[in-house]
Amino acid sequence: MKPAFTLEQVRSFLAVADVQSISRAAETLHLTQGAVTQQVHNFERALAVRLLERDGRGIRLTDAGRSLATSCRAAMRSVEVVAETARALKSLEAGSLHIGASPTCATYYLPPVLADFMRRFPDISLNVTVESTADINEKVGAGVLDCGLIEGLTDPELRSIVLAWDELVLVVSSAHPLATHPRTSPAELASYRYLGRGPTWAAEITVRDMIGYAYDHSPMLNLGHPEYVRAAALAGLGYAALPLLAVKADLDLGLLKRLPVASTRRAISASRRRSIGGPTLEEFWRFLELSVGPG
């Protein structure tokens, strides 16, 4: 509900309360005595409470005035915080942001987010570090990075939000023997080479759950970055689990074929330390939260 009084009325009342004088308060506020008197009178009328009373030739606070002065000071401090936050946001003209991202996030999810953010704050200095989910979690927790975008599990000590869901699908080259199989059992997969990232990458945990027996029994070629894995799959070196976003064009062109194995979804999350950060980080985090929307 809209208050029946104004900030100027609160400011005038506090100025009078601080010095117990209309004339001195008027000097402080650079207003006339009549203007200050009118502001305080309107404030009293809005609250239906008497705040000041005559004390000989001067004035003093009533009991109600003393109580309300405390609340008014707290309210004015909150207003000051709003102004300070606005001033801090102006510093984004020269702020910096250090972001960590896993390869999948750096390739498919982070660029459009940063493009939208940079349209609002074009003078921000950006630095992006691309490493595994585990390394990003560690560096965000240590304060080396302001925040991270990862797939898979975030460190429970960090604050996090889910930005999107990534679908991991199993693919092979259209010329690979598996491409002609109407059904693909774990035992059949195990007869062919699995193209993976390596044991330090979070995606491998998801793939193990996805293909079960085949993960531990297939010959394995670890290539690190998912784009290297995609290139190896296109060359027919084996089967791979890759983000649908990464291979959609190849599937549409018939260069890769999706194997009849259930896909799996994994969260794309942003993470940061729980403590309050600098104005650039706080604005970027608000931007991320708004991009997710309610629910």
Side-chain angles (χ1 to χ4, degrees):
M1 184 176 69
K2 183 179 179 181
F5 52 85
T6 68
L7 287 177
E8 288 306 314
Q9 291 168 7
V10 175
R11 190 174 287 112
S12 293
F13 165 63
L14 285 177
V16 174
D18 286 340
V19 297
Q20 305 281 294
S21 166
I22 295 288
S23 60
R24 288 164 60 194
E27 292 175 5
T28 301
L29 296 170
H30 305 291
L31 297 173
T32 65
Q33 293 184 42
V36 173
T37 299
Q38 188 62 43
Q39 292 277 27
V40 174
H41 175 70
N42 290 340
F43 189 41
E44 288 179 317
R45 186 167 58 184
L47 297 176
V49 174
R50 189 174 181 184
L51 304 173
L52 302 174
E53 60 186 4
R54 288 287 175 184
D55 181 19
R57 298 174 67 178
I59 58 172
R60 65 183 178 87
L61 292 172
T62 63
D63 290 342
R66 280 190 291 273
S67 296
L68 280 170
T70 300
S71 297
C72 287
R73 288 189 181 95
M76 291 307 296
R77 177 55 192 149
S78 296
V79 172
E80 289 172 4
V81 168
V82 172
E84 289 168 2
T85 301
R87 286 194 294 273
L89 292 180
K90 290 181 181 179
S91 70
L92 293 182
E93 295 174 359
S96 63
L97 192 63
H98 294 261
I99 303 174
S102 63
T104 295
C105 292
T107 305
Y108 303 104
Y109 293 96
L110 183 58
V113 170
L114 290 183
D116 285 346
F117 186 70
M118 292 303 292
R119 275 191 283 271
R120 298 187 184 189
F121 305 104
D123 296 321
I124 291 294
S125 174
L126 285 175
N127 184 284
V128 178
T129 297
V130 181
E131 292 184 356
S132 68
T133 288
D135 288 337
I136 297 301
N137 275 330
E138 181 180 352
K139 290 185 177 181
V140 171
V144 176
L145 297 170
D146 294 319
C147 62
L149 258 68
I150 60 170
E151 72 269 15
L153 298 176
T154 59
D155 187 324
E157 296 298 316
L158 299 175
R159 181 178 170 188
S160 65
I161 52 174
V162 175
L163 302 177
W165 289 92
D166 183 61
E167 186 177 5
L168 209 62
V169 296
L170 218 60
V171 297
V172 291
S173 164
S174 57
H176 192 279
L178 280 172
T180 61
H181 289 210
R183 295 183 181 83
T184 308
S185 68
E188 286 176 301
L189 285 177
S191 300
Y192 297 94
R193 183 182 296 108
Y194 167 66
L195 306 173
R197 294 161 181 77
T200 62
W201 298 92
E204 296 305 305
I205 298 173
T206 305
V207 178
R208 182 186 290 274
D209 293 338
M210 187 178 178
I211 63 176
Y213 172 88
Y215 187 87
D216 293 313
H217 293 85
S218 292
M220 191 170 294
L221 174 59
N222 289 322
L223 295 149
H225 196 286
E227 280 302 300
Y228 304 156
V229 175
R230 172 178 163 270
L234 285 167
L237 287 173
Y239 69 93
L242 288 163
L244 182 57
L245 281 176
V247 296
K248 188 176 186 308
D250 299 321
L251 292 171
D252 291 343
L253 290 170
L255 301 175
L256 290 176
K257 181 173 180 181
R258 186 169 171 175
L259 294 178
V261 174
S263 63
T264 188
R265 294 201 317 160
R266 53 189 182 159
I268 300 297
S269 301
S271 64
R272 56 166 290 182
R273 294 175 300 286
R274 294 184 181 275
S275 58
I276 295 175
T280 307
L281 171 59
E282 295 303 326
E283 182 62 23
F284 183 64
W285 194 259
R286 278 190 289 271
F287 175 80
L288 291 178
E289 289 179 323
L290 288 172
S291 71
V292 174

